[in-house]
Amino acid sequence: WNPPHLMMTYSAALLLLLWLFTTSISVLGHGRLVAPLTRAQHTGYEDDPVSSITAEDFICRNEAAGTPLSVAAGSDLALQWRFGAAHVGDCAVYISYDTGAIADMKFFKIANLFDCRTQNNQDVTVNLPSWLPPGRATLRWDWSALHVYPSVEFYTQCVDLQITSSSTASLPQTYDVRTVYPLRGNQGVGYRNPFAPNTEQFMTGPACAPGVTGNGCDLTASGTTGNTFVDGGDPPSSDIVGDGGSGDSTSPGSAPSTQCTVHTVATGDTLTTIANYYTAQGQATTASEICAYNGISDCDHIEVGETFVIPGTCGGDGSSPSGEGGGWTKVVAGVGGVALVVVGALAVVRGRGG
C-alpha cells in the first residue's frame, strides 16, 4: 500500500526528472548560421541538429523564401554563426545552382572552416570564386560537431543568392551532399578525435571545386586523410564515407570507440565545482586542466548548456571514464541537486548534495 501523499511525491519527482531530461538533452549541442539571412527568414532558434545525415534537412532545412541576397562573383561574403554551445567541430560552405526540390539539389564546395567554434559570433569572410556564373544559387553552410566523438552531430543552413557575374565558365561537378560525409568517427575515413591531441587533427569532407584557392580548401584536398571526394573523380565509395548505418562497428584499422565523460554545464557550475565533483568520484582533475583540455578561452566564464570533456576519461588519452567498457557517460544536469546521467543508452537517476 502506498499512501496518497507518497504517490503524489513520486509523480512529482518523475515529472521533474522528465523535465530535466528533455530540457538538458535539448541543449547538448546547438548552433546555426545567422548571417547572411537564411531561408528561415529569422535569426531565432533553429539550432537543433538535423534529423539525419540522409534526410532532406541535411541538404537544406527550409524551402527557398524571401528575396535572394545579391552578391558578385569574386567578392568576399561575411558569414556569422551563433553557437549556444560552442562544440569542437568543423564547418564548410557549398554552392548549388539547382532551384527545384531540395532532394534534387546538387552542390560543390567552396570553403573549409576548421574548428569553427573559435570564430563563434564573429564575421568570417569567404571568397566567392570569380568564375561563378550569373544566376540564382544557394549557399549551404554545415557544421559537423565532434563533442560526442565518435558520434557526430550535424547542422545545416541555406541562404538564397542572386549571383552577378560576367563569367561564362561551366559549373564543376556537383553531388548530393548526403553522400560525402561519414556518419561516425569510426566509419570510412572517419573524423579526427578532438580529445586525443596527439593524433592527427584532420578535417573530413570532399575537396573544394577546382579553381577555388584559399578558403581553407587545402584541408580536404586530394590525398589528405579526411578527403571523401575529389571533384572530377568517381562518387565516394562505402570504404570512404562508411555504410551510412547507425551501428558502432569499427572497420579494420580504424580507431576503437573513444570513452569520455562529458559534463553539461548547469546553473551554478564553475570549472572548480565541476573539477571537485569528478575528483571526488575518482576522476581526479583540476579546473585549469578542464579549461586547457577543452580550449576554453576564458576559464572564469562558462555558459549553461556548454559541454566539456573531463580530462583523463577518454580512451584516446589512455584511460576510460570508470575502467569499464561500454561507450560514454554524459552528465546532463549540473553538479548541484539531482542529476540525470546517460550511460550509453541507459538513463540513471542519482541525487547529489549541493
Side-chain angles (χ1 to χ4, degrees), residues 335-352:
V335 169
V338 176
L340 184 64
V341 181
V342 179
V343 185
L346 175 65
V348 180
V349 178
R350 67 184 182 193
R352 300 200 290 266

Side-chain angles (χ1 to χ4, degrees), residues 15-233:
L15 288 172
L16 173 61
L17 291 172
L18 180 61
W19 178 83
L20 280 171
F21 181 76
T22 54
T23 301
S24 300
I25 288 296
S26 70
V27 296
L28 289 182
H30 49 271
R32 61 162 295 180
L33 186 73
V34 293
L37 186 66
T38 70
R39 285 183 168 189
Q41 295 295 293
H42 64 76
T43 58
Y45 192 89
E46 195 176 53
D47 297 26
D48 293 328
V50 298
S51 60
S52 168
I53 195 174
T54 60
E56 282 192 17
D57 61 352
F58 182 67
I59 303 174
C60 285
R61 287 182 182 264
N62 303 288
E63 299 286 348
T67 302
L69 176 68
S70 180
V71 296
S75 66
D76 289 338
L77 179 64
L79 307 181
Q80 186 174 133
W81 44 89
R82 180 191 65 216
F83 294 165
H87 300 310
V88 64
D90 304 321
C91 299
V93 181
Y94 297 79
I95 294 289
S96 174
Y97 280 80
D98 295 326
T99 58
I102 290 177
D104 296 330
M105 296 178 74
K106 303 294 189 293
F107 292 81
F108 55 89
K109 184 192 273 189
I110 64 166
N112 288 318
L113 303 159
F114 183 81
D115 198 14
C116 44
R117 66 172 178 172
T118 62
Q119 297 168 309
N120 191 21
N121 294 314
Q122 301 176 30
D123 282 345
V124 178
T125 58
V126 169
N127 180 257
L128 300 174
S130 60
W131 47 260
L132 290 176
R136 182 73 175 263
T138 302
L139 178 144
R140 177 185 177 276
W141 168 93
D142 69 29
W143 173 33
S144 303
L146 307 175
H147 60 293
V148 287
Y149 184 90
S151 296
V152 184
E153 288 183 348
F154 298 97
Y155 303 77
T156 63
Q157 295 284 341
C158 285
V159 177
D160 292 317
L161 304 177
Q162 183 68 42
I163 297 177
T164 59
S165 174
S166 60
S167 172
T168 58
S170 299
L171 289 178
Q173 184 175 358
T174 59
Y175 42 80
D176 186 333
V177 290
R178 295 174 294 182
T179 67
V180 293
Y181 285 106
L183 180 65
R184 297 173 58 82
N186 54 8
Q187 289 183 337
V189 301
Y191 297 83
R192 72 181 185 279
N193 181 350
F195 308 118
N198 293 328
T199 61
E200 183 185 1
Q201 296 299 294
F202 60 91
M203 184 169 174
T204 297
C208 292
V212 180
T213 58
N215 287 351
C217 285
D218 58 306
L219 295 173
T220 58
S222 175
T224 57
T225 300
N227 172 261
T228 59
F229 182 56
V230 180
D231 182 56

